[in-house]
Amino acid sequence: MVAACERVGVPLDRIEDITAGCVNVAHEGMGDIGRWAALAAGFPDSVPAVTVNRFCASSLTGAINLSHAIRSGELGFGLASGVESMSRSGWAYTKGDAPFSPRGPVFLLDTMWAGAGGPPNPKLLAVNAYVDMIKTAQNVADRYGLTREEIDAFALRSHQHAAKARDSGRLALEIHPVELPASRSEPARLFEHDEGIRGDTTAEKLAALPPQPNTTQMTAGNSSALNDGASAIVLASEEAAQSLNLAPMARVVASATHALDPQYMGIAPAFAMAKALQRAKLTPDQIDVWEVHEAFSAQALGVLRELPNQLDGFEVPDDKLNPNGGAVAIGHPFGASGTRYVLTLATELKQRGARYGILGVCVGSGQGVALVIESL
C-alpha cells in the first residue's frame, strides 16, 4: 500500500479512504484487515479503511467503489488494495444450530475452504450452493463441451506467456520487490518474481496429471495455484491528480456486475463484460486488451465460449487475450487478484500504446465483475 503511493507520488496523508479486498481475514486480519494494515504500514491515524469481501473480485469491487465515490465528488484520492494469505488461513471450531448451544462434539474446519465455521444454511444446501469451486469448473467444461486437451492447452499458454513476461522484465514493471531477511538455512534475498510460473512445463507433463476428486478433467496443472499475495493501486479525481502534478496511467470508463447459478461459477464475467462495454458505449473490436480471470482453465475457456453469445458473435483475438499469462500460472490469492488485474491491464495498455482494455473476474457463488479502462 505504501509502495503504491510512493511510486505515483501521493503522500500518505492525502489518501482519503482505503479499500482492502480479502476473503479470509485470518490471524492479524482481525475482521478489518484494511484498517489494521493501514495502521501497521504507517498511514496517519486519520486515514480510514474498509475490508471488502466479494470472493475473487474483492479488491476489484473495492476499486470500483472508490471510483464511484470519486465520480460523485465525495473523494479526491483513494487507495484500492487486496491481500490473501492462503498458506496461513486459520482453523475454526464449528458451533451448533442454537444460540449459545451447549458444548458437544466439535469439528475443525479449514477456513480456506469452509468459511468461518458454523452450520450450513439448509436452503443453500438444498440447491447445492456450497458446491466445490473445482466442481463448478467441471460443470462449465461439461456445459461447453470442453476437452481435456484444450483445457490443458490453455494452461500451457498461461504458463508460457507468463514466463515470457517474467523473463523479458514486463512483469517487473508492476511488481514491488520485497526484501526477505536471512534465516538459518538461507541468506537474505530480494523476492521479486511470482513462484507459480512454470515456464518449463509441457503438454505431456500436464496431460500426465490425474483429475481431482469429483471431476474428470480438472487437475492441479490446469487450475490456479494456492498463493499468498498483495496488490494496491491509487485512484484519484482529475482535480486531485492535477494538484500534485501527477500523470495518471488510465481512467475508469465503466463497470458492471452479473450473477447466475452458483453451479456454473466462472462464466458470469462474460455477461458482466458485455454490460460494461454497453455502458462504456464501446464495441468489442475497440478493446485492445482483454484480461479474463483464470480461476481454472476450463472456467476461462467457458467465458471465451460465452462471450460470442453476448457480443453478437465477436470472438476475442488470441493476441489481445491475457498477453502476460493469467492466474493459472501467476496464481490467485483471492483478495489480491482484482487490483493486480487493474494494474496489469493499465500497464499493458501503456506498453502497447493502446487505448481501451477490459477485465472480467469470476466470483465464487456465481458472480462476475467487469471493468473497462482507457489508457491516458
Side-chain angles (χ1 to χ4, degrees):
M1 287 158 45
V2 171
C5 293
E6 291 178 343
R7 183 171 295 198
V8 299
V10 176
L12 302 189
D13 60 4
R14 289 295 300 271
I15 298 297
E16 298 165 59
D17 204 1
I18 294 173
T19 60
C22 189
V23 177
N24 196 329
V25 283
H27 301 291
E28 67 271 25
M30 298 284 291
D32 188 355
I33 197 169
R35 174 61 172 167
W36 299 126
L39 291 173
F43 283 82
D45 293 347
S46 58
V47 178
V50 62
T51 299
V52 179
N53 183 357
R54 199 201 290 262
F55 299 131
C56 306
S58 295
S59 55
L60 177 57
T61 297
I64 291 171
N65 290 349
L66 287 177
S67 73
H68 290 169
I70 290 170
R71 183 167 290 164
S72 71
E74 295 184 354
L75 201 66
F77 283 106
L79 180 70
S81 61
V83 63
E84 205 73 46
S85 181
M86 300 175 83
S87 69
R88 299 176 65 244
S89 63
W91 293 83
Y93 284 105
T94 59
K95 289 188 175 182
D97 291 338
F100 309 107
S101 54
R103 293 286 180 183
V106 294
F107 297 94
L108 269 178
L109 298 176
D110 181 348
T111 59
M112 181 53 60
W113 309 114
N121 185 291
K123 291 184 178 180
L124 297 178
L125 277 176
V127 296
N128 196 21
Y130 297 121
V131 58
D132 292 342
M133 291 298 97
I134 200 166
K135 182 61 169 65
T136 68
Q138 185 62 62
N139 291 345
V140 169
D142 294 341
R143 176 168 175 166
Y144 293 96
L146 303 176
T147 66
R148 170 69 184 272
E149 290 73 22
E150 61 186 323
I151 294 171
D152 283 349
F154 189 88
L156 181 61
R157 177 194 187 278
S158 185
H159 282 285
Q160 290 176 336
H161 280 61
K164 182 178 179 180
R166 176 197 61 199
D167 298 342
S168 68
R170 163 62 187 84
L171 289 180
L173 298 175
E174 57 190 76
I175 291 176
H176 176 65
V178 177
E179 183 71 36
L180 298 183
S183 66
R184 292 184 177 181
S185 58
E186 294 184 351
R189 63 189 178 95
L190 194 64
F191 191 76
E192 53 188 343
H193 295 296
D194 290 298
E195 293 179 298
I197 301 172
R198 300 286 183 265
D200 59 347
T201 193
T202 64
E204 292 74 21
K205 290 179 180 179
L206 291 171
L209 295 172
Q212 292 297 297
N214 300 317
T215 77
T216 58
Q217 297 163 297
M218 304 305 114
T219 72
N222 57 40
S223 308
S224 60
L226 304 181
N227 293 76
D228 297 344
S231 61
I233 57 174
V234 178
L235 296 99
S237 67
E238 184 177 7
E239 294 75 17
Q242 289 176 348
S243 73
L244 294 180
N245 295 316
L246 303 179
M249 295 178 66
R251 77 174 183 94
V252 172
V253 179
S255 63
T257 57
H258 188 83
L260 41 70
D261 185 346
Q263 291 292 317
Y264 296 97
M265 192 294 302
I267 60 172
F271 301 85
M273 294 169 96
K275 286 183 183 178
L277 285 174
Q278 185 177 26
R279 292 175 181 175
K281 295 180 172 57
L282 295 173
T283 58
D285 58 285
Q286 290 180 276
I287 299 300
D288 300 297
V289 180
W290 297 70
E291 282 286 340
V292 176
H293 178 48
E294 300 174 3
F296 303 91
S297 296
Q299 164 270 317
L301 284 171
V303 172
L304 296 173
R305 290 287 179 86
E306 183 58 41
L307 273 171
N309 298 332
Q310 304 303 317
L311 299 175
D312 297 325
F314 178 86
E315 296 186 4
V316 179
D318 186 73
D319 63 331
K320 294 183 178 182
L321 172 68
N322 297 5
N324 304 293
V328 166
I330 295 173
H332 174 36
F334 300 145
S337 290
T339 37
R340 200 276 289 177
Y341 279 127
V342 179
L343 179 57
T344 295
L345 182 56
T347 304
E348 186 63 22
L349 290 173
K350 278 291 184 187
Q351 290 297 299
R352 292 187 173 211
R355 186 174 183 182
Y356 291 113
I358 189 170
L359 66 95
V361 178
C362 63
V363 177
S365 76
Q367 301 182 78
V369 182
L371 179 71
V372 178
I373 64 173
E374 179 184 14
S375 185
L376 298 176

